[in-house]
Amino acid sequence: MNLFADFDQRIKNALETLDIIKEKRSEVDFGRLTVEPPRDQSHGDVATNAAMVLAKPLGTNPRALADLISAALRDDPDVSEVSVAGPGFINIRLSTGYWQRLLAVMIAEGTDYGRSKIGAGLKANVEYVSANPTGPMHVGHCRGAVVGDALANLMGFAGYDITKEYYINDAGGQIDVLARSVFLRYREALGENIGEIPAGLYPGDYLVPVGKALADEYGPRLHNMPEEDWMPIVKDQAVAAMMVMIREDLNALNVHHDVFFSERTLHADGAKLIRAAINDLTFKGHVYKGKLPPPKGQLPEDWEDRDQTLFRSTEVGDDIDRPLIKSDGSYTYFAADVAYFKEKYDRGFDEMIYVLGADHGGYVKRLEAVARAVSDGKAKLTVLLCQLVKLYRDGEPVKMSKRSGDFVTLREVVDEVGSDSVRFMMLYRKNSEPLDFDFAKVTEQSKDNPVFYVQYAHARCMSVFRQAKDAFPDLDVDSLDFASTVGQITDSNELQLVAKLAEYPRLIESAALSQEPHRVVFYLYDLASSFHAHWNKGKEQPELRFVNDKNRELSIARLGLVRAVACVLRSGLAIAGTAAPEEMR
RNA sequence: GGUCCCAUAGCUCAGCAGGAUAGAGCGCAGGAUUCCUAAUCCUGAGGCCGAUGGUUCGAAUCCAUCUGGGAUCACCA
């Protein structure tokens, strides 16, 4: 039930009854007509630009047309007042009865209230995290993980058919490095003194148990093999071990993917899938052999001018053509990416979403080029870039250096502040905006901490129900007939709270369409704020309190309101992937 | 040099799919409150929406150029 969709229809129906419209029906288009909440609540509950948009094609002026439309709208029994303002806005005020019935619907729909079909079952693939399986996840992965996960939840709620996917970069040079690093740890486990870890290998202690496991399983056998023989064995074990670790980290952050897709799948069988993808592009005329111009600005010292197999991505929107095959004959990472996109497209996805860090901004155009070339422009590809996160501890920036291995892991952050706080704060900013994350602030138990503030609102709702049980011991709160009591909701503050809840379905749709999960979190904060404000009024005016042991029916009606608030909070918190606690301790 | 992102109150940021008098939190100023519906509350001041053009009935929002800040820029993944 979406109030604005409801009135969108009602206004269109009203328009159809007007003679001026009937006469020129074929010439007028309702496409630009909007129905939305007015900026200022004092204007009304629903506003439409209908008169301003339609005046011109109808050959009249907006104010005159607005008067005609208003007259038609006044016939609607749910409309209590219609006014024309400014250049021709039509402001509609709804009857109390309408709000009350709307509340009853919200309660009945529960946590499904706000669910939308706007995605129309479109198959969308959200790829996010995709951290290299060479070590534990570090804090830099946090934001993309949370944004991707919440976006997928949001789009799922808005009616898309969503697959959450993780691309395992388990091919290429870095995995060789990983395997060599593990092999060293294996030798160490066999009793050898390996000394300092040489530069160029991964020094982290997390590889020690992997080496030990190999020693336990194979004894000295690997040690006696040539590298080409032990390499595949060690690679498999190492990648598997890293992925176990990464999945544990993701679980700790409440991130759960549907599909883990291995890059090695693309390289299997003599790189069958990559070759197929390149052949496909070649067939479509997107591949040629040629030279790439050297990069503008400073020329790299080791620049080689040579023929390469190139993807003519400039013809599909890229700035420069991209190599598919390296000088040693192996495939570039980009070639695998082409194959991966094709694989997803062949799996039937209409839209691929990539959640990447801002440092991958330069990659966007070539991915879009891939989408155009592979799908002939039929598949949609969008990239969400997350700006960097800066960590602060008590106002001081936390220094990190990759080289020394001195980085903060995702796990450390989650263990210290909790996944709810991490997730909420990662969403409490537009993804295109850099983010400061202060350890002290996000764990603070006060209204200054938005995580706490929103969760506390939900806990308060639950607390109302506990109080209701004390006041009315015989009350079965799980089977109350709210619908017959909503007529008791007449206080203007209560009705405003209902109006706030009425914004939720529209918010879900616009957030999903614009792929901006942060909007949900901001809305939650707003809703929590309205709820807390109303609660506080109960201090000064006890008659406004939700539970009134002298008036059972009124209390039930208000419990209905509280339930509706709690459901929306729970629904939004679920999209964010954070808990809706029963109480705060 | 190319490309992408950003610029809104003193600070940190929202601003929904162009709409009316641009919002919140912190901070600041004033006031209330010791209550138990806990981890305060209410009110107020504060703005050239980076600049200039354009589209539009109407622009913080869309387009172009410029200024300032960040990211990135063959053969890595």
Side-chain angles (χ1 to χ4, degrees):
Chain A
M1 177 71 182
N2 182 336
L3 182 160
F4 298 97
D6 182 13
F7 270 83
D8 186 78
Q9 197 52 54
R10 292 188 196 213
I11 288 167
K12 283 173 182 159
N13 291 347
L15 287 170
E16 301 283 7
T17 66
L18 297 178
D19 290 337
I20 188 169
I21 302 264
K22 281 183 193 161
E23 282 164 21
K24 297 191 175 182
R25 186 62 190 89
S26 57
E27 291 162 50
V28 293
D29 174 18
F30 292 166
R32 289 178 56 215
L33 192 145
T34 62
V35 177
E36 55 195 0
R39 177 152 295 201
D40 194 327
Q41 221 175 15
S42 66
H43 295 139
D45 300 314
V46 178
T48 178
N49 64 354
M52 289 181 288
V53 174
L54 300 176
K56 209 175 199 176
L58 292 176
T60 178
N61 73 73
R63 296 286 306 206
L65 182 58
D67 287 337
L68 289 176
I69 300 171
S70 304
L73 287 170
R74 285 196 186 92
D75 293 339
D76 189 323
D78 291 327
V79 170
S80 70
E81 196 186 319
V82 185
S83 58
V84 179
F89 282 102
I90 299 170
N91 291 320
I92 302 167
R93 199 166 285 290
L94 303 178
S95 71
T96 302
Y98 184 83
W99 290 121
Q100 292 167 342
R101 293 205 315 277
L102 190 60
L103 175 61
V105 171
M106 291 172 188
I107 300 165
E109 292 186 359
T111 47
D112 273 332
Y113 170 68
R115 192 178 282 282
S116 166
K117 291 192 167 67
I118 205 165
L122 193 88
K123 271 181 69 116
N125 182 293
V126 185
E127 186 210 317
Y128 58 107
V129 187
S130 301
N132 288 341
T134 56
M137 294 179 58
H138 59 83
V139 68
H141 295 117
C142 250
R143 192 170 184 185
V146 172
V147 168
D149 202 55
L151 174 65
N153 293 341
L154 168 64
M155 291 179 72
F157 194 59
Y160 291 84
D161 178 4
I162 291 288
T163 296
K164 299 177 173 179
E165 187 145 331
Y166 185 119
Y167 183 52
I168 310 171
N169 296 131
D170 54 1
Q174 63 189 344
I175 299 301
D176 295 346
V177 172
L178 174 72
R180 291 199 187 93
S181 308
V182 167
F183 192 71
L184 201 63
R185 294 299 188 179
Y186 157 77
R187 282 162 50 198
E188 182 182 45
L190 289 176
E192 198 174 323
N193 181 7
I194 58 168
E196 286 265 303
I197 305 291
L201 293 186
Y202 298 118
D205 291 341
Y206 57 88
L207 295 178
V208 172
V210 188
K212 186 167 185 314
L214 280 170
D216 290 346
E217 187 176 345
Y218 292 92
R221 294 207 309 279
L222 296 176
H223 201 351
N224 302 326
M225 293 180 186
E227 179 175 297
E228 60 188 52
D229 287 346
W230 61 251
M231 183 57 99
I233 298 170
V234 176
K235 262 192 198 176
D236 277 358
Q237 289 257 358
V239 169
M242 293 304 102
M243 285 312 295
V244 166
M245 202 166 63
I246 286 171
R247 288 168 91 137
E248 280 170 5
D249 289 352
L250 290 170
N251 282 339
L253 192 57
N254 195 23
V255 170
H256 309 280
H257 290 83
D258 302 313
V259 174
F260 285 82
F261 187 91
S262 157
E263 185 187 354
R264 275 194 290 177
T265 316
L266 304 168
H267 291 273
D269 288 335
K272 197 169 136 199
L273 291 173
I274 296 178
R275 282 189 292 121
I278 293 179
N279 286 341
D280 182 55
L281 285 185
T282 308
F283 180 72
K284 291 173 179 161
H286 294 294
V287 178
Y288 70 105
K289 267 197 190 290
K291 285 180 176 152
L292 226 41
K296 298 256 163 59
Q298 220 175 4
L299 190 70
E301 303 208 350
D302 53 350
W303 172 257
E304 297 174 51
D305 195 25
R306 59 155 193 279
D307 268 356
Q308 289 174 291
T309 301
L310 298 168
F311 168 40
R312 203 188 304 276
S313 52
T314 46
E315 274 190 359
V316 275
D318 203 356
D319 302 318
I320 189 170
D321 291 341
R322 305 291 174 180
L324 294 164
I325 298 176
K326 295 189 233 171
S327 51
D328 67 358
S330 63
Y331 296 102
T332 60
Y333 177 79
F334 178 66
D337 240 10
V338 175
Y340 181 40
F341 182 87
K342 184 175 186 310
E343 201 276 340
K344 283 198 264 196
Y345 183 59
D346 291 343
R347 262 190 277 157
F349 290 106
D350 305 301
E351 178 165 8
M352 328 292 160
I353 297 167
Y354 292 75
V355 179
L356 302 174
D359 52 342
H360 288 77
Y363 214 70
V364 175
K365 282 198 176 180
R366 79 193 72 168
L367 283 176
E368 288 168 348
V370 169
R372 283 193 201 100
V374 170
S375 75
D376 296 312
K378 283 187 225 120
K380 195 177 164 201
L381 179 145
T382 45
V383 179
L384 249 69
L385 290 180
C386 295
Q387 293 295 319
L388 302 179
V389 177
K390 274 189 218 153
L391 288 186
Y392 289 84
R393 196 175 281 284
D394 306 319
E396 290 295 313
V398 177
K399 291 203 176 112
M400 278 182 285
S401 142
K402 262 188 191 167
R403 200 169 303 158
S404 63
D406 174 25
F407 51 79
V408 179
T409 64
L410 178 141
R411 198 52 179 272
E412 286 171 301
V413 177
V414 172
D415 287 349
E416 181 172 341
V417 309
S419 91
D420 285 351
S421 293
V422 174
R423 292 190 62 117
F424 200 96
M425 292 315 290
M426 291 294 157
L427 292 167
Y428 201 57
R429 190 115 315 173
K430 250 186 321 208
N431 57 278
S432 53
E433 195 84 25
L435 187 152
D436 294 341
F437 185 93
D438 193 313
F439 282 95
K441 274 188 189 157
V442 302
T443 46
E444 198 177 284
Q445 300 258 308
S446 84
K447 72 172 192 69
D448 296 338
N449 179 359
V451 189
F452 174 83
Y453 191 70
V454 172
Q455 289 190 323
Y456 183 37
H458 183 265
R460 260 188 174 164
C461 290
M462 296 300 102
S463 149
V464 172
F465 276 89
R466 289 191 290 270
Q467 285 167 34
K469 259 203 131 25
D470 288 345
F472 307 102
D474 61 317
L475 204 66
D476 179 8
V477 293
D478 294 321
S479 58
L480 291 174
D481 178 18
F482 294 114
S484 66
T485 62
V486 290
Q488 302 277 318
I489 299 293
T490 53
D491 176 79
S492 68
N493 285 300
E494 293 170 341
L495 292 170
Q496 267 179 42
L497 211 44
V498 178
K500 190 84 213 160
L501 295 171
E503 292 172 20
Y504 188 60
R506 189 171 185 273
L507 173 106
I508 290 295
E509 292 187 351
S510 64
L513 286 175
S514 55
Q515 303 181 337
E516 293 186 334
H518 73 274
R519 287 193 201 170
V520 176
V521 168
F522 278 93
Y523 171 81
L524 290 178
Y525 184 85
D526 230 34
L527 175 60
S529 174
S530 301
F531 180 73
H532 286 311
H534 185 58
W535 172 286
N536 286 328
K537 286 212 169 70
K539 283 185 181 176
E540 305 276 316
Q541 300 162 261
E543 70 277 11
L544 286 181
R545 295 182 181 188
F546 295 115
V547 177
N548 180 338
D549 54 14
K550 304 268 182 340
N551 192 336
R552 188 186 174 98
E553 201 184 340
L554 178 65
S555 299
I556 291 172
R558 288 177 173 175
L559 284 176
L561 176 59
V562 172
R563 169 151 295 175
V565 171
C567 282
V568 171
L569 287 171
R570 214 173 297 153
S571 162
L573 284 167
I575 288 169
T578 55
E582 298 286 312
E583 56 183 349
M584 304 294 275
R585 288 278 166 207

